[in-house]
Amino acid sequence: MRILLIGATGTIGKIIHPELAKKHEIISAGRNSGDFRIDLSDTNSIEKLFREVKNIDACICVAGDCYTGDLLSLDEEKLNIGIKNKLLGQVNLVLTGQKYLNNNGSFTLTSGKMADKPVKNNISKAIVNGGINSFVLSASLELERGIRINAISPGKVSDIPIEDLINAYSKSVEESINGEIIKVNY
Ligand SMILES: NC(=O)c1ccc[n+]([C@@H]2O[C@H](COP(=O)([O-])OP(=O)(O)OC[C@H]3O[C@@H](n4cnc5c(N)ncnc54)[C@H](OP(=O)(O)O)[C@@H]3O)[C@@H](O)[C@H]2O)c1
């Protein structure tokens, strides 16, 4: 398969990229790194990427910033970091990418454990991750041309056996699952 991997140089990207590359052609993209440039918080940049990179079977996103801090420190501006970048960035990736992905392609988004097992100082991540999961559940009912969508919801990556993380992303891309939130290390 030809896989567009957004955030390939990040903590998760560096783990899954070499493994996926054993079986698939990987096109990497990031804000400042990778084969192509994309800023998830900029819709025009998403559209530009899909116009440039053609014939994509699977799009994996392991990118998106979020604010970390307690409830008292949180305000609209800080909340918007995660909403515009990680949540709307990944939603817009699908809204735009659905027009370009090959038939029977797939989207794999990344949310995180804070959606349903929050710990203190992570309210922004809880909101954003929950939004991503809800988007995946509902979009999976409507995507056309056989296109599938799943979310990987990892716990802290440094605590996860890397095989579990790799298996989760591989499963979403290679198996015929749709509308699943794959929880890793809960
Ligand atoms: N690490 C964890 O323990 C963990 C656990 C659960 C969930 N997650 C989630 O998984 C995702 C990836 O985490 P990570 O730890 O691998 O992140 P990371 O190490 O910070 O790496 C982020 C990657 O995404 C790219 N990126 C960042 N902002 C971008 C943007 N606006 N547009 C396009 N590319 C962008 C970066 O590229 P450049 O360097 O070129 O900017 C980099 O390749 C995040 O959404 C995070 O919340 C992470």
Side-chain angles (χ1 to χ4, degrees):
M1 275 186 231
R2 215 167 117 83
I3 300 177
L4 175 60
L5 177 59
I6 298 167
T9 56
T11 306
I12 297 179
K14 273 193 267 194
I15 294 171
I16 63 171
H17 188 178
E19 284 302 313
L20 291 168
K22 288 178 184 169
K23 288 207 266 179
H24 306 284
E25 180 189 356
I26 310 294
I27 297 103
S28 62
R31 205 166 25 189
N32 307 296
S33 57
D35 303 327
F36 289 87
R37 294 290 160 278
I38 178 177
D39 181 356
L40 277 178
S41 62
D42 175 358
T43 315
N44 291 331
S45 148
I46 295 174
E47 183 94 42
K48 184 169 172 281
L49 179 71
F50 278 108
R51 284 209 179 121
E52 281 173 351
V53 185
K54 300 199 166 47
N55 192 24
I56 297 299
D57 299 301
C59 174
I60 301 176
C61 184
V62 286
D65 296 336
C66 225
Y67 171 75
T68 304
D70 67 7
L71 187 60
L72 267 179
S73 71
L74 194 59
D75 58 23
E76 189 177 344
E77 193 183 341
K78 287 171 184 148
L79 200 51
N80 268 333
I81 297 168
I83 289 179
K84 291 203 167 136
N85 199 305
K86 184 171 176 178
L87 174 57
L88 279 184
Q90 294 193 88
V91 168
N92 282 328
L93 190 68
V94 176
L95 297 185
T96 301
Q98 64 178 335
K99 297 179 278 177
Y100 293 92
L101 226 59
N102 287 345
N103 289 351
N104 305 312
S106 67
F107 290 101
T108 304
L109 308 187
T110 303
S111 55
K113 185 176 179 177
M114 295 303 150
D116 36 17
K117 295 254 170 119
V119 297
K120 282 185 178 177
N121 301 329
N122 282 283
I123 292 167
S124 177
K125 285 184 187 159
I127 294 169
V128 164
N129 292 341
I132 293 163
N133 291 347
S134 295
F135 172 70
V136 164
L137 292 173
S138 50
S140 70
L141 306 173
E142 295 192 38
L143 280 166
E144 296 181 346
R145 299 187 291 110
I147 295 174
R148 303 177 293 104
I149 183 168
N150 301 292
I152 312 303
S153 178
K156 197 169 174 209
V157 165
S158 53
D159 299 340
I160 302 177
I162 61 166
E163 310 80 59
D164 292 358
L165 200 61
I166 292 162
N167 288 341
Y169 284 92
S170 301
K171 181 175 174 178
S172 174
V173 170
E174 293 167 2
E175 297 184 12
S176 58
I177 58 168
N178 185 32
E180 288 204 15
I181 312 300
I182 303 177
K183 299 178 179 180
V184 188
N185 195 36
Y186 271 37

